[in-house]
Amino acid sequence: MYFNILSIKNLKLSITQYLILLYILLSTYYFAKYSIWYDVYHFYNVLLRTLEGQKFFQDYYSHFYPFLFYLLAPIIKVISIDQFNVIFSFILNFLFAYHFTYYSKKIFHNEINFFYLFSIIAFFFIPFGIGLFNFNELAVYFTTIGFLMAICDLKKFSYLSVIYILLALTIKYSVALPLIGAIVISTVIFLIIDFKKEILYLFLKYFFSIGLLFLFITIILITFSNTSIKDGFDYLFFDVLTLSKERTEFDKFLFISVFKNLLSINLNILSLPVGSLLQLPVIICYFILIPILFFKKNLESKKKFFLYFLLFASIFHYTQLGRDWHHKFIFFFIIVYFLLFYFFEIEK
């Protein structure tokens, strides 16, 4: 009798999992097919310019390096833009979900459920987020997975990790840099709390190798574009500093504006701050995780490092990437997973 009940429960669980995956597949298809706004439009605009043979810094100006477009443009000759949107949205969505979950399991020694974390990421990365394959999501993918590769083995330098983060910087450095900032701050805090000389040396090797290679690539790109080094750097980096400064405000890091909106609620239902209400559960989980993480004892080094990164990546990704909060919450939802399923063991 017990085994029959267990078999029925396992069957129900399997059916539920298949239905969840089907829903994710359908939602990914729908949003990839019908979602588009400025960032996405600009991505495909540059892609088509590359296909036409236009040259970076000569026929058009962009803050996004052209290497990715040289690889992707020939594909548009074979399939239509609409097919390209859907196919590559599927590939990137499930590739990020798989790789993030795969490396997370390695870091946590198989203590997390692959299906739950994979499903959360696969739903909130593209379907709920920006909805389409473009350089925002690509930069997030390469930076994050590059970092996870590095911390899977804190005793070994990973050349593949360097390649991934360099790809992220050349795809869209304005998305990669906040995540790299999260890596740097996580490393500093990690070393302050639990100093290890070998970790410091490893971090410095990554920092200088990635930094110098990115600088070298930038100079070569500007030089071959027949643009002066000064003009190239002014356009690529210094002209956008004003925008970055506007987004670097202390109250944004503490979500003060969200709480102000919530406190302004009155009895008129039309005035409800829907955006703030939707963000609140995730933000609360974020604040709950902070004391758990910093005061929990016997947490392995790799796990601490990983969770520090999630905390700072979520905040930097949220504050530094514009006003559309709904496509910047991927790290917050991952935090919710670890809080509920890992620390509170909700699946049990």
Side-chain angles (χ1 to χ4, degrees):
M1 181 68 177
Y2 172 76
F3 290 107
N4 286 336
I5 293 171
L6 193 61
S7 298
I8 292 169
K9 283 184 177 179
N10 288 334
L11 179 62
K12 286 181 178 178
L13 181 61
S14 298
I15 292 170
T16 303
Q17 289 177 343
Y18 281 119
L19 289 173
I20 289 170
L21 285 176
L22 178 62
Y23 179 70
I24 292 169
L25 285 166
L26 291 174
S27 59
T28 304
Y29 173 79
Y30 177 83
F31 284 101
K33 183 83 172 167
Y34 299 108
S35 287
I36 192 161
W37 52 80
Y38 177 74
D39 278 350
V40 176
Y41 170 79
H42 188 58
F43 175 84
Y44 288 97
N45 179 41
V46 177
L47 183 59
L48 290 173
R49 284 176 179 272
T50 307
L51 182 64
E52 292 169 2
Q54 296 187 30
K55 294 182 179 179
F56 178 75
F57 263 15
Q58 294 180 34
D59 301 310
Y60 70 93
Y61 287 87
S62 175
H63 290 102
F64 317 116
Y65 292 22
F67 309 118
L68 170 72
F69 302 106
Y70 292 141
L71 293 174
L72 296 177
I75 300 172
I76 305 299
K77 294 180 181 179
V78 180
I79 60 177
S80 68
I81 279 283
D82 288 338
Q83 292 171 326
F84 179 90
N85 292 345
V86 174
I87 291 168
F88 279 85
S89 295
F90 268 101
I91 291 171
L92 182 61
N93 194 39
F94 292 106
L95 198 63
F96 181 64
Y98 174 80
H99 277 152
F100 191 100
T101 309
Y102 171 79
Y103 287 111
S104 297
K105 277 182 71 72
K106 287 186 72 173
I107 292 165
F108 282 81
H109 308 297
N110 296 317
E111 295 172 0
I112 61 174
N113 184 290
F114 189 96
F115 177 79
Y116 292 143
L117 182 57
F118 176 89
S119 299
I120 287 168
I121 296 172
F123 179 67
F124 286 106
F125 185 55
I126 279 183
F128 182 76
I130 202 164
L132 199 60
F133 165 84
N134 76 106
F135 35 40
N136 282 4
E137 273 57 41
L138 272 172
V140 171
Y141 166 76
F142 280 112
T143 312
T144 307
I145 302 306
F147 169 71
L148 295 187
M149 287 175 179
I151 64 169
C152 272
D153 187 351
L154 290 173
K155 296 179 180 178
K156 185 179 178 182
F157 183 81
S158 170
Y159 292 97
L160 188 57
S161 173
V162 171
I163 292 169
Y164 262 57
I165 294 176
L166 272 174
L167 281 170
L169 285 166
T170 56
I171 287 167
K172 192 173 182 182
Y173 61 81
S174 61
V175 173
L177 284 174
L179 298 180
I180 290 172
I183 294 170
V184 171
I185 292 178
S186 302
T187 306
V188 171
I189 291 176
F190 178 83
L191 290 171
I192 290 171
I193 294 175
D194 186 15
F195 180 79
K196 291 179 180 177
K197 189 163 58 175
E198 59 272 20
I199 302 294
L200 175 61
Y201 290 155
L202 189 63
F203 168 75
L204 291 175
K205 283 176 69 176
Y206 280 119
F207 182 80
F208 284 107
S209 59
I210 292 168
L212 291 173
L213 283 169
F214 181 58
L215 181 63
F216 175 75
I217 290 169
T218 304
I219 292 171
I220 293 295
L221 180 65
I222 293 170
T223 303
F224 275 91
S225 301
N226 296 321
T227 306
S228 72
I229 297 294
K230 182 183 182 304
D231 289 344
F233 272 82
D234 282 345
Y235 178 79
L236 284 173
F237 303 108
F238 299 116
D239 290 348
V240 298
L241 281 178
T242 304
L243 182 61
S244 298
K245 287 176 182 176
E246 288 176 358
R247 293 173 179 172
T248 310
E249 298 173 5
F250 185 71
D251 63 337
K252 290 183 179 179
F253 289 85
L254 297 176
F255 300 97
I256 290 173
S257 60
V258 174
F259 293 113
K260 281 182 179 178
N261 286 337
L262 291 170
L263 291 172
S264 68
I265 291 176
N266 55 44
L267 296 176
N268 181 5
I269 194 167
L270 295 177
S271 68
L272 289 175
V274 177
S276 297
L277 287 168
L278 289 173
Q279 296 173 61
L280 190 60
V282 183
I283 292 169
I284 288 172
C285 287
Y286 167 79
F287 281 115
I288 291 172
L289 183 60
I290 292 173
I292 289 177
L293 176 57
F294 283 94
F295 294 106
K296 187 175 178 63
K297 297 179 179 179
N298 302 322
L299 198 60
E300 190 184 351
S301 295
K302 286 194 294 188
K303 296 178 184 178
K304 275 187 179 179
F305 210 161
F306 173 82
L307 292 167
Y308 289 158
F309 168 75
L310 281 186
L311 284 172
F312 291 107
S314 61
I315 234 14
F316 290 164
H317 195 57
Y318 178 87
T319 59
Q320 297 297 306
L321 300 187
R323 62 186 179 180
D324 300 316
W325 62 265
H326 59 282
H327 76 269
K328 303 181 299 179
F329 257 62
I330 182 63
F331 292 104
F332 282 111
F333 286 113
I334 294 172
I335 279 177
V336 171
Y337 167 83
F338 279 96
L339 182 66
L340 297 179
F341 286 84
Y342 182 74
F343 287 107
F344 290 166
E345 299 180 330
I346 196 169
E347 66 184 281
K348 292 183 180 178

